[in-house]
Amino acid sequence: MANDTNVVVLVGRLAASMEVRHTQSAYPIGSFTIAVNRSKKSASGTWEDKASFFDCDLYGNIVTGLQEYLVKGKQVSVTGFLEQDRWEKEGQRFSRVKVVVRNIQLVGSKGQKSGGSVAPESGEVPF
């Protein structure tokens, strides 16, 4: 057995409100995208923010409880692991990597640069 590690930690803002869907057995799945900024020095010597966007999936009853809080612009901290989806359509192969969220915390209010939590909810996804 390999000693591989697959852990990701991100703090960023939701690019859009969480979308909720359910499996055939009514198990909730929440999907959202986090925009994470980092500063990068340009050729002219000025600092610019560069955004990266990460697709995330959250599973379980916590999805329903957090749906009203996971809205566009909300800052969150997520921990989880990366998972690769692969599929084929019309003979062409596709692939994408997403973050499967195991823990999520609300970090700041919508539009707030930094600061305390607006709501005390945080969820641990049972795996």
Side-chain angles (χ1 to χ4, degrees):
M1 178 179 242
N3 289 325
D4 298 336
T5 302
N6 182 355
V7 177
V8 64
V9 177
L10 299 170
V11 177
R13 296 192 181 276
L14 272 68
S17 296
M18 178 174 66
E19 294 181 15
V20 178
R21 63 188 189 283
H22 295 83
T23 63
Q24 290 179 348
S25 60
Y27 189 72
I29 302 170
S31 297
F32 53 92
T33 300
I34 294 180
V36 178
N37 290 319
R38 68 178 177 89
S39 292
K40 180 181 177 185
K41 201 169 195 177
S42 69
S44 66
T46 60
W47 288 93
E48 300 174 349
D49 282 341
K50 179 175 166 68
S52 296
F53 296 87
F54 301 96
D55 293 331
C56 301
D57 282 346
L58 178 65
Y59 298 93
N61 292 330
I62 191 71
V63 169
T64 307
L66 287 177
Q67 186 172 7
E68 68 181 282
Y69 299 106
L70 295 181
V71 295
K72 182 177 181 175
K74 179 69 181 151
Q75 188 179 34
V76 295
S77 169
V78 299
T79 58
F81 59 91
L82 299 176
E83 183 174 83
Q84 184 177 26
D85 289 336
R86 296 178 185 154
W87 67 97
E88 192 171 319
K89 184 177 179 181
E90 298 174 4
Q92 194 171 13
R93 292 182 183 177
F94 295 91
S95 171
R96 79 174 187 134
V97 175
K98 66 181 176 184
V99 177
V100 176
V101 178
R102 297 190 88 177
N103 184 281
I104 185 166
Q105 293 182 346
L106 306 177
V107 178
S109 64
K110 180 179 175 184
Q112 183 180 3
K113 290 287 183 187
S114 64
S117 180
V118 171
E121 289 84 354
S122 145
E124 182 74 29
V125 179
F127 280 87

